[in-house]
Amino acid sequence: MSTLTLNPAPYIIIDFDSTFTKVEGLDELAAIALKGHPERDQIVQKISDLTNKGMNGEMSFADGLRQRIALLKANRSHIEELVSFLRTKVSDSFKRNTQFLTENAEQIFIVSSGFKEFIVPVATELGILADHVYANEFVFDEEGNIVGIDEENVLSMDGGKIKILSALNLSGDVYAIGDGYTDYELKASGLANRFYAFTENVERPKVTAVADHIATSFDDFLFDNKFSRSQSYPKSRIKVLLLENVHPVARKAFEEEGFNVEFVKGALDEDELCERIKDVSIIGIRSKTTITKRVLENANRLMAIGAFCIGTNQIDLDEAAKKGIAVFNAPYSNTRSVVELAVGEMILLIRNIVGKSNQLHKGIWDKSANGSFEVRGKKLGMVGYGSIGTQLSVVAEALGMEVYFYDTVEKLSIGNAKKVSTLEELLSISDVLSLHVDGRKENTNMIGKREFELMKDGVIFLNLSRGHVVDIKALAEAVKSGKVAGAGVDVFPKEPKTNDEMFESELLGLPNVILTPHIGGSTEEAQENIGHFVPSKLLEFMNNGSSYGSVNFPEVQLPKLKDSHRLLHIHANVPGVLAKLNQIFAKNNINITGQYLKTNEHIGYVIVDIAKDYTEEFIQEVKEVEGTIRFRMLY
């Protein structure tokens, strides 16, 4: 954490309930004290409603406070239990910035309409000075029961916070942070220069409407004022756009980290995406959204792309790399789901189950075995032997099949699978042919009329890879002629963008053909796995700088950052950049605690961990190095 440099330092007035902590202390005290009471829920709700009316400026605060106390039946033992609870409910952004609170304790005050008995024990543990806490105080009877409040305390009265701040007579700038209307009144009275509506825990429209600034977290407040902080940037200012109904766990992962998440169920076309992506830093897509060069030209703030699927051919990877945008996918998360669909369709098709089922739905009872076979002893041919192909190989062999594969890349076979030297050889020997290739342009129509003619008569054909790798017209003709006895197709050259669009294909209505709407990886297990995996990679890149697993970016797996600041410098892959950076470090007498460099054909990625004592001029020099594409800092 860099040193705070304020001249003169402003005073910071912080509210406690729903600001410093995530909850309202008095409401929680009622819930604890009334445990077992038959009307507990109703009483707690009444207290909560009174709290909200007071915070929204809808009723006299003093009247509301006294009504709440009258409903409360609590004693000292309940306060002790409340303090233990509140320690677990400190707002995340305040907890992250304990060092700031400690280092600047003389300038920080808590002014609250809550009660000292539960505020002081919690706040002082995070560096707040006990004598800088101004709050109400309970009155107890001899048995320790709460029987009222200190009526002499100005905070029990309307305008109490104004009276406290006036009495403090602070000389210099005063910034107030809180979630309630009484916090805004400090600014309205002229005693505070700025009012920040704090919305990390609760957002009150009547309060945000009158605020100078909206602080979605304490980090946001610190960033806005260029104060030292635990995070180099407030994540609430980082927008994440998730398209195509990705699994809810992905949305949750980003929201829990504090990012601003927008969720869209369907895909967006190029024009829509060009407009929506302008203020987006992270975008998550599946297979129907295409991120073109034009889209990337409009993505001024984009830092990372997450493909919530295996393929990345829908993304212009080279252009993204040139712009310093890292792309991550999920190469293995839905492998099992695709394999199970392939096996299921293979068995259904080779047994002619689809045809038998369709006939029976029409009332036709055909119990013959004609055209129905076992998969045992049959030859499975796979075009592509990647993560899906290898797992399908294992399962198929367990079913008693002979497995053959063709791949342009040299691959070590698993089990008894045999590699053939040409695609033509594979086509000629396979009883079942399954495609598992990627979406590169070179694979367009790799299976067409010629390839179908090379196949065995009565072959079972599966395509669960990419739609454009098969000539659909040629496949339809092969099915009609009987060359292909059965086909399972999950992917198509043209697919609807949403569930509301009609699907059209020459394969519609053909016998013993299973058509599925690109659901090879669409199981709850697979989508949840992808929903966990892709955000984890994106968050590692955003929070730590690690690019391990990126499909277009120099891969660097970085250690966690400790007691240093991390400079991330992405530049065009030209000679001399690292030398120039090192010259700047030497000239500014920067202590380097760690340095990492990786390049690919387009860009270089330099990561430097440095000691915290540096100047803004040094940072500006780093940004101005010729060839710099993107620069950011983490701490």
Side-chain angles (χ1 to χ4, degrees), residues 386-453:
S387 57
I388 293 174
T390 52
Q391 192 169 145
L392 178 58
S393 169
V394 172
V395 177
E397 196 172 320
L399 291 171
M401 301 185 79
E402 294 181 36
V403 179
Y404 299 84
F405 68 91
Y406 170 74
D407 201 305
T408 55
V409 178
E410 189 62 37
K411 297 285 181 70
L412 180 66
S413 61
I414 295 176
N416 296 313
K418 302 176 183 66
K419 181 178 182 180
V420 299
S421 55
T422 65
L423 175 61
E424 289 74 14
E425 182 183 356
L426 187 74
L427 299 177
S428 66
I429 64 174
S430 300
D431 299 306
V432 179
L433 190 80
S434 189
L435 305 185
H436 302 286
V437 298
D438 61 31
R440 69 188 70 181
K441 292 179 181 179
E442 294 81 3
N443 288 335
T444 301
N445 288 341
M446 70 179 298
I447 304 295
K449 183 177 180 181
R450 170 182 169 273
E451 286 72 29
F452 283 114
E453 289 173 350

Side-chain angles (χ1 to χ4, degrees), residues 610-629:
I610 64 172
K612 302 171 186 178
D613 48 345
Y614 54 84
T615 64
E616 286 295 329
E617 290 75 20
F618 158 71
I619 296 299
Q620 193 58 39
E621 283 188 67
V622 173
K623 290 179 180 179
E624 292 174 356
V625 169
E626 188 176 355
T628 300
I629 296 171

Side-chain angles (χ1 to χ4, degrees), residues 75 86 185 313 363 410 431 474:
N75 60 36
L86 291 179
E185 289 176 340
N313 58 290
E410 189 62 37
D431 299 306

Side-chain angles (χ1 to χ4, degrees), residues 159-211:
K161 289 189 176 183
I162 294 172
K163 291 167 183 163
I164 287 290
L165 204 55
S166 179
L168 285 173
N169 194 27
L170 303 174
S171 59
D173 287 340
V174 176
Y175 302 160
I177 309 169
D179 66 287
Y181 200 82
T182 56
D183 303 303
Y184 158 69
E185 289 176 340
L186 297 177
K187 166 67 188 300
S189 69
L191 293 169
N193 304 79
R194 299 180 195 171
F195 168 59
Y196 288 80
F198 190 81
T199 62
E200 182 173 334
N201 304 309
V202 61
E203 185 170 346
R204 307 183 196 277
K206 290 188 177 181
V207 178
T208 57
V210 295

